[in-house]
Amino acid sequence: MRERRLPHKTRERTKPADNAAAKRVTLPRALSKLGYCSRTQAERLIAENRVAVDGRTVSDISAWVDLATASISIDGLVIAAEAKIYLMLNKPRGLVTTRHDPEGRPTVYDCLRDFDIPHLSPVGRLDKASEGLLLFTNDTEFAQILLDPVTHLTKTYHVQIDRIMDDEDIVAMTSGIRHDGELLTATAARRLRQGGRNSWIEVELDEGRNRQIRRMLEALGTECLRLVRVAIGGLELGELPKGAVRALTEPELQALRRKTGMERTRRN
């Protein structure tokens, strides 16, 4: 079999694992970890008899493989692990966080046209009206850990509202506000600056409830004029221009791994 070579990607040699069991995963999971496709897409390929392991076609989606030793091919082409990519985007307002929108609206992928990485996915979401820091990666394990509620990874937002926020409302946001039967709480909230009719506040969250800040403000009778995510777990958006994309630096990645416990897991 010939090995598939893709543009703009580098292949990584699979290193032998200290614990062999750690490299044994189901075949759909293996294709996902290699960055080839999602597990759902992998199950479809397996059912269509297009996947082979060590030269033998596998049609059982529950089959286990050893990532350290197995040679996996799709349609006769051996696949290799894609180089791991970690990007940040300063998402403009008006873009939806999806690859394909059935309504034909512009998406965040319009900002990624220069990146030929078919399995690059956003880490979490920002709604259409929200702006700011949005991460992308093809490292599914990294993304899952960042999104895991157990990590309590703090996200920081700068929010413009239609009035001057008073002390009572700041306390309410950090104490908890009930909206539609759900208790919503900010880790921290403070005033940033104010004008004659509106002001900016900074809000920190360590949970990912749907439209959480907008719902909290709505419960306080306040309109959200702009909502910009400026940091994730200490990783700051900084001066990245609107609509621009850049790769995360190694120190930035290491800092995120430390905050989520990934560094300890690697050492163990």
Side-chain angles (χ1 to χ4, degrees):
M1 297 180 184
R2 66 188 187 280
E3 184 165 351
R4 185 185 65 158
R5 295 181 181 272
L6 298 176
H8 308 298
K9 296 182 176 70
T10 58
R11 294 181 294 127
E12 298 175 342
R13 292 181 180 272
T14 305
K15 297 180 180 179
D18 294 331
N19 181 358
K23 291 294 184 181
R24 283 183 53 78
V25 295
T26 61
L27 186 52
R29 174 100 173 128
L31 293 176
S32 174
K33 288 178 74 69
L34 290 171
Y36 185 84
C37 61
S38 70
R39 274 182 272 186
T40 300
Q41 292 168 328
E43 290 175 359
R44 189 180 307 119
L45 291 172
I46 295 166
E48 294 171 353
N49 293 318
R50 297 171 59 187
V51 183
V53 178
D54 297 329
R56 307 180 81 174
T57 300
V58 177
S59 57
D60 182 2
I61 63 172
S62 64
W64 288 75
V65 297
D66 186 340
L67 277 174
T69 60
S71 173
I72 303 174
S73 59
I74 309 293
D75 297 331
L77 302 179
V78 175
I79 63 172
E82 293 182 327
K84 296 296 186 287
I85 305 296
Y86 309 90
L87 304 175
M88 72 157 63
L89 163 69
N90 185 351
K91 175 190 174 297
R93 187 172 185 170
L95 302 184
V96 292
T97 307
T98 185
R99 186 178 292 274
H100 303 291
D101 181 64
E103 299 178 29
R105 295 172 297 181
T107 80
V108 291
Y109 283 92
D110 293 337
C111 301
L112 301 175
R113 292 192 183 96
D114 294 336
F115 294 86
D116 183 19
I117 308 169
H119 308 300
L120 196 65
S121 299
V123 182
R125 308 177 71 84
L126 282 174
D127 63 38
K128 179 183 175 183
S130 298
E131 312 166 47
L133 178 55
L134 184 63
L135 298 179
F136 288 82
T137 185
N138 58 355
D139 185 340
T140 55
E141 183 179 1
F142 178 81
Q144 288 167 2
I145 292 175
L146 289 187
L147 294 173
D148 192 334
V150 174
T151 63
H152 293 291
L153 194 65
T154 300
K155 299 176 180 65
T156 306
Y157 301 82
H158 287 178
V159 187
Q160 186 183 30
I161 59 176
D162 66 344
R163 64 181 178 87
I164 309 302
M165 182 70 81
D166 55 39
D167 292 339
E168 184 179 346
D169 288 337
I170 291 290
V171 171
M173 294 189 77
T174 54
S175 300
I177 298 173
R178 194 162 293 279
H179 184 276
D180 289 342
E182 188 175 16
L183 186 64
L184 307 173
T185 306
T187 307
R190 67 184 183 93
R191 286 184 292 270
L192 287 175
R193 58 186 181 273
Q194 63 187 52
R197 296 183 178 179
N198 57 61
S199 61
W200 284 85
I201 59 174
E202 182 177 84
V203 182
E204 291 183 6
L205 304 177
D206 66 356
E207 55 185 2
R209 308 290 181 88
N210 183 41
R211 300 182 68 252
Q212 183 167 341
I213 294 176
R214 296 182 188 277
R215 292 167 63 197
M216 294 173 78
L217 293 173
E218 181 181 328
L220 293 172
T222 302
E223 183 181 355
C224 177
L225 303 178
R226 286 184 66 189
L227 191 152
V228 185
R229 184 157 65 194
V230 297
I232 298 176
L235 173 67
E236 296 184 352
L237 180 63
E239 299 300 320
L240 187 68
K242 192 77 65 180
V245 182
R246 74 164 176 86
L248 270 61
T249 66
E250 190 57 34
E252 288 172 336
L253 285 170
Q254 290 175 358
L256 282 176
R257 289 176 178 134
R258 282 194 300 270
K259 284 183 177 292
T260 57
M262 279 186 269
E263 286 292 338
R264 290 192 300 273
T265 302
R266 285 184 166 195
R267 287 196 294 269
N268 294 336

